[in-house]
Amino acid sequence: MKRVIFMLAVWLQASMAALGQSQALVFQSDFGLKDGAVAAMKGVAYGVSGSLNMFDLTHEIPAFNIWEAAYRLNQAAPYWPPGTVFVSVVDPGVGSERRSVVLKTKTGHYFVTPDNGTLTLVASSMGIDEVRQIDETTNRLQHSQASHTFHGRDVYAYTGARLAAGIITFQQVGAVITTGIIQLPYQRPVSENGKIRGTIDILDVQYGNLWTNIDLQTFSQLKANPGDRLNVVIAHEGKTIFHDSMVYGKTFADVPEGKNVAYLNSLLNLSIAINMGSFSGKYRVGSGNDWTIEISR
Amino acid sequence: MKRVIFMLAVWLQASMAALGQSQALVFQSDFGLKDGAVAAMKGVAYGVSGSLNMFDLTHEIPAFNIWEAAYRLNQAAPYWPPGTVFVSVVDPGVGSERRSVVLKTKTGHYFVTPDNGTLTLVASSMGIDEVRQIDETTNRLQHSQASHTFHGRDVYAYTGARLAAGIITFQQVGAVITTGIIQLPYQRPVSENGKIRGTIDILDVQYGNLWTNIDLQTFSQLKANPGDRLNVVIAHEGKTIFHDSMVYGKTFADVPEGKNVAYLNSLLNLSIAINMGSFSGKYRVGSGNDWTIEISR
Amino acid sequence: MKRVIFMLAVWLQASMAALGQSQALVFQSDFGLKDGAVAAMKGVAYGVSGSLNMFDLTHEIPAFNIWEAAYRLNQAAPYWPPGTVFVSVVDPGVGSERRSVVLKTKTGHYFVTPDNGTLTLVASSMGIDEVRQIDETTNRLQHSQASHTFHGRDVYAYTGARLAAGIITFQQVGAVITTGIIQLPYQRPVSENGKIRGTIDILDVQYGNLWTNIDLQTFSQLKANPGDRLNVVIAHEGKTIFHDSMVYGKTFADVPEGKNVAYLNSLLNLSIAINMGSFSGKYRVGSGNDWTIEISR
């Protein structure tokens, strides 16, 4: 009788584990949502395990834009618990010699992606614990070898799903990479002589706000308090596009509607907005390394 | 032995509950799907409980458009079972003094949102059981206090997830609000002298149909039957934009392709369409309180 | 005691089944993501069963475009496991006499949809096991009879959810249809005299690639190897739009950036692209039966 109960308990625990203990699997790509590509990836993952919890980061990364892929991963990943597996597929070199890798960060997050710079920012902010190259002889959807243009489906979704479901361990992904991963060039903010110089990393596209690379620590050197005015100069390839002072507010509503405001965004980087308006639209400001910003009191 | 079985059963029931009895958590926002904002909210919720069932209502509410947020909630919420928790974040006043609240309706649905008018229509159609103000000293993501511009992530997703997962009760959200919630002004349809006057509440954007505020009960006073012709006048700020008669059909296909048709939409409000075409596009009709419609036989 | 254990095991197995053994439910429509329509469908499905695994194929099928609905189903469905239930709602004839059906394919997949041609391609590629007409007297959301324009919510989501959750069997959908389903006309590729003629079935919209109907088997008759040059002629209504040779590559990166390339896409159909560019944008090429392509060595 005891043996019956024991076996019942073992079977149940195994079943519960299968049902409930998968890690979240989060997809990002530049595929858009208009066709069947994202659903093909999720179908492959669901075929791996029916108890995965799947989510989307975004699939609206502009086509081939690896920098934005890197940025969006870094924007969202820290809010997911350790163990979460991210599959990011912005992959203009699909089918070429670029490597396919899984990064495990010091925080315990996993990133499955082509090694093309996508990992630049999470590697820096979350720390590299280990990177492994995906061994496609064992980690590839069966019967997919004839296809050379959709590793998102055939390699990344498949491997991410097996990792998230616990079917393979991180070690079973493939051999450790010891030669480093591809890093995109990017700027760090500079503080000197009471001025902070940075770049406009990206636009908060939905609202037209500018998100700079000036982090809280660097900005703190200005010793500005909410309510103070800041002098803001924005330039494109060295040519001044905008030069004016504005309030440093805690939030948009600290200035009247239609007024400019500097604030710390949700990642605690200095940002520029119009309350209830689009700064990037009004002043035709873009993002990237050639868009610079200088802040002073 | 009986005790062993009993404890096994208790443990299992608790485990099953943890796995299966969360309420659905449904997100709405004006964030769009191009960046990491929605995924940051879901990551926070997933960190609260890995067994939540998360869904999206829409994230394409036009930026700052509280009326449309109110409308879309009211369009979808009645089709979800009681207990469902909606998190709606169209929040131009984020970080200002506007309150953060949870509405429990008489139907047993929950709405987590800034108190800025978003609740106008569901409060009316589903009834207010009780409204509580979110106490951010207990209901806020840990270590998020330095951020003032993303309460969707730090307060609403976090609180909605804890409520849906049963980690907090509705009472633990915060104190009851007895002073009423913010209501957007909106029109009711009027029937007199054989004419019904209403407004065009919103566009059925994907197809270009007009959705009016003329509900089934009001429309019934015309005693029109499918196949009858209706006289339709549409005006913008009092100026007539469209004046013609059209068939009142049960569905689009009751008129030939390209012909105008009046019908009851999926919410049983009177609507105007072109079969296989876009009425709002062809006649340049918009929506809002200044777009009026008059119907007669 | 044995009876207690037995009943416990029965109860647990039933609970596990309820929690874990639903089939995936995958939605497709032309509703877009801007309003509450998709969420209303999912709410109905969630009301049927809280343990369904719901996914989206796409909701961005162009309005009323049944061909594209058929294509996207066929693109994604083979990557989902047998038993998966697809609900596809591109339904310009909603409320008219068109039938509502469920197709079970020979591969064990289910498709719930209006019978308007949506099933054309999956019926061909996955094979018809049986088609049943939905009996709306038993398979329709309660109290939804007054609505005639949203069968996606009232009939298809409801029936798909009940089928995926195991609440009804396939037989309980309704009577078998023995008269065939609606088929859209489409072309097969032709190979003669060393030339292959086909049509441009659809655009890979996110990148601007052309996806033809020339499958691997037909293309093989050219005996082309990666690295060979192909002669490509594209015509619209018989008028030549493009005529040039290009490399047949395994993937985009086999040619320099900005160069044209012919390749086998992720469905192993012949396709035309510009590496890191948009072929359809540059040469203004569209898709459909009047867009033809001719390939030779």
Side-chain angles (χ1 to χ4, degrees), chain A residues 25 27 31 36-52 54 87 139-144 147 150-163 165 167, chain C residues 24 26 55-56 75-82 84 86 109 266-267:
Chain A
L25 182 62
F27 291 96
F31 299 164
V38 170
M41 288 201 299
K42 290 185 182 166
V44 166
Y46 194 82
V48 164
S49 167
S51 53
L52 285 168
M54 292 188 232
V87 170
N139 293 303
R140 182 172 178 133
L141 180 66
Q142 281 199 309
H143 311 305
S144 72
S147 172
F150 197 179
H151 286 188
R153 178 191 70 194
D154 301 333
V155 177
Y156 302 126
Y158 180 72
T159 301
R162 300 216 304 163
L163 190 59
I167 293 171
Chain C
V26 183
F55 299 90
D56 298 301
Q75 177 184 358
Y79 291 92
W80 289 81
T84 299
F86 295 85
H109 298 76
S266 54
L267 307 178

Side-chain angles (χ1 to χ4, degrees), chain A residues 78-79 266 268, chain B residues 44-45 47-48 135-147 150 153-159 162:
Chain A
Y79 292 93
S266 55
L268 303 185
Chain B
V44 166
V48 164
D135 179 352
E136 294 182 19
T137 60
T138 52
N139 294 303
R140 182 173 177 130
L141 180 65
Q142 280 199 309
H143 311 303
S144 72
Q145 277 71 13
S147 172
F150 197 0
R153 178 192 69 194
D154 300 334
V155 177
Y156 302 126
Y158 180 73
T159 301
R162 300 215 303 163

Side-chain angles (χ1 to χ4, degrees), chain A residues 130-150:
Chain A
E130 201 168 69
V131 184
R132 288 178 179 269
Q133 181 165 2
I134 299 174
D135 178 353
E136 295 182 19
T137 59
T138 53
N139 293 303
R140 182 172 178 133
L141 180 66
Q142 281 199 309
H143 311 305
S144 72
Q145 276 71 13
S147 172
H148 301 282
T149 58
F150 197 179

